[in-house]
Amino acid sequence: MKILMYNTVSDEMPYVEKWTEKTGHEVVTIDQPLNETTVDRAKGFDAITTQQTTAINAPVYAQLAQFNIKQIAIRQVGYDVLDLPEAFAHNIRLSNVAAYSPRAIAEYTLTQLFNLIRHNKKFDRARNTGDYTWAAGGQAREIHDLTVAVIGVGRIGTALAEMLHALGATVLGVDPIYRAQNEPFVTYTTLDDALSRADVISFHTPLNDETRYMADENFFAKIQPGTIMLNFARGEIVDMVELEKALESKLVAGAAFDVTPNENDFMNQKQDITALPADVKRLIEYDNFLLSPHIAFYTNTAIKNMVEMALNDAVTMVNGGVTENEILR
């Protein structure tokens, strides 16, 4: 089988080579995402895979169908880049890698939470000016004293909840799906109750019509003063205007984000810092706002699993088989 791998990064190549040696399939890699300009590259292939944060728009699916491409395997959890109705209308099967490494994202979320409660950015900035005083950052809080609301208790949210519980934190879970196996370390509750009680709010939901800008003005009106906010899911879950207001007013004591609504304009790029979007330039000046370049997933285990699972699913779907990673709605 001949597979085209869109948006390939160098870190993926060793795992691609090992997979081809093991399976005998041919994989051709390119470093561009799948879009209207690059879709023609898929002609003559049996299957395709991609990982990207830019949308795969409606015209792409018609073109793929003309090339007799019957599937798209995305090497990531979030599938908001896909136009599901268009794909299904053209009989194109879809899959994601829902569990390439939930711990990778959970561990990084926890890392950034520790950075916030220990005021590490403040201390780092102070030391750069020669200020080594305790007062430069201020007293920290200890994690076992915190109540954390995990919004979206799927694989990643569950992994984070387990870690938090092991460290002594109280974990509140908000999710339309109840998972009884989580009861030992999660107390399920309503969103409003969680917002009224939480010291920390961590988003781990997919982006869809229900979650897009769920953290709006009304949402912020329900949180406790001094709340910490974490977003390692999708940028458009949080209204960044409202977040900036909340940071300015001290309603939010700190925030760590790995994603932003406009991340495609600057993330995974090298550029002059003055060319950053205006809101990002303002936010990164805050001592209590941490922004990372969508790297929570970025571990050796995750990259390996993303490659192998997506390529395996591509072969399975082309051959008419069943994969637990198929996106059915």
Side-chain angles (χ1 to χ4, degrees):
M1 187 175 294
K2 189 176 180 182
I3 303 170
L4 178 61
M5 188 165 166
Y6 283 95
N7 227 33
T8 310
V9 297
S10 59
D11 292 329
E12 294 177 304
M13 288 305 302
Y15 305 113
V16 173
E17 291 166 4
K18 288 179 182 177
W19 187 86
T20 57
E21 290 173 6
K22 180 173 65 176
T23 65
H25 296 296
E26 178 184 357
V27 178
V28 175
T29 62
I30 61 174
D31 61 4
Q32 294 89 33
L34 174 60
N35 55 38
E36 294 94 321
T37 302
T38 62
V39 65
D40 286 347
R41 298 287 298 272
K43 188 174 183 179
F45 285 85
D46 303 300
I48 60 171
T49 175
T50 188
Q51 61 86 21
Q52 58 192 75
T53 55
T54 52
I56 302 172
N57 296 320
V60 171
Y61 304 92
Q63 280 289 95
L64 290 174
Q66 287 184 11
F67 300 151
N68 203 33
I69 298 290
K70 297 180 170 62
Q71 58 66 237
I72 303 172
I74 60 172
R75 306 188 302 280
Q76 60 200 58
V77 177
Y79 55 86
D80 47 287
V81 299
L82 298 168
D83 186 326
L84 302 189
E86 282 294 324
F88 297 150
H90 290 91
N91 298 312
I92 293 174
R93 298 175 70 183
L94 307 169
S95 67
N96 68 336
V97 183
Y100 53 76
S101 182
R103 286 188 62 91
I105 296 167
E107 286 179 5
Y108 194 67
T109 304
L110 188 60
T111 297
Q112 294 293 70
L113 174 57
F114 274 120
N115 280 324
L116 285 173
I117 64 175
R118 299 303 303 227
H119 310 301
N120 284 339
K121 186 174 180 181
K122 290 181 182 179
F123 280 114
D124 286 346
R125 286 183 165 185
R127 285 196 300 272
N128 288 338
T129 67
D131 184 351
Y132 281 75
T133 64
W134 298 348
Q139 284 187 6
R141 300 180 70 181
E142 296 186 19
I143 200 161
H144 62 87
D145 289 329
L146 301 179
T147 296
V148 183
V150 176
I151 302 178
V153 197
R155 292 179 175 90
I156 296 168
T158 294
L160 177 64
E162 288 181 300
M163 294 175 190
L164 290 165
H165 175 76
L167 292 167
T170 299
V171 184
L172 305 177
V174 179
D175 198 298
I177 299 173
Y178 166 74
R179 295 174 175 85
Q181 65 268 29
N182 290 349
E183 281 289 355
F185 49 87
V186 174
T187 299
Y188 282 92
T189 188
T190 65
L191 178 62
D192 284 356
D193 179 62
L195 297 185
S196 71
R197 296 165 57 191
D199 302 300
V200 180
I201 298 167
S202 192
F203 296 100
H204 299 283
T205 68
L207 180 65
N208 53 40
D209 291 340
E210 286 73 40
T211 62
R212 183 172 279 105
Y213 297 116
M214 69 179 297
D216 57 10
E217 183 179 10
N218 182 55
F219 182 102
F220 280 93
K222 297 176 181 177
I223 69 175
Q224 293 192 93
T227 296
I228 290 171
M229 185 169 287
L230 312 170
N231 187 6
F232 293 80
R234 284 291 183 265
E236 291 178 73
I237 291 171
V238 178
D239 184 329
M240 300 299 280
V241 173
E242 294 301 323
L243 173 68
E244 191 171 352
K245 289 179 184 176
L247 285 167
E248 184 65 27
S249 70
K250 305 294 194 281
L251 174 63
V252 168
F257 279 47
D258 194 46
V259 291
T260 68
N262 56 355
E263 67 183 71
N264 288 324
D265 294 339
F266 67 98
M267 285 195 180
N268 201 26
Q269 302 174 36
K270 289 184 178 180
Q271 58 183 290
D272 190 320
I273 196 167
T274 61
L276 290 170
D279 62 332
V280 173
K281 283 193 288 187
R282 291 193 304 272
L283 285 166
I284 62 177
E285 287 303 311
Y286 284 87
D287 283 332
N288 56 349
F289 180 77
L290 308 179
L291 180 63
S292 48
H294 206 140
I295 54 169
F297 77 98
Y298 192 48
T299 68
N300 54 350
T301 299
I303 296 294
K304 172 182 178 293
N305 289 341
M306 289 164 69
V307 169
E308 292 184 354
M309 294 170 72
L311 290 172
N312 287 336
D313 286 343
V315 173
T316 296
M317 289 191 291
V318 169
N319 288 332
V322 176
T323 169
E324 65 178 356
N325 297 317
E326 185 165 4
I327 301 164
L328 299 172
R329 59 178 177 84

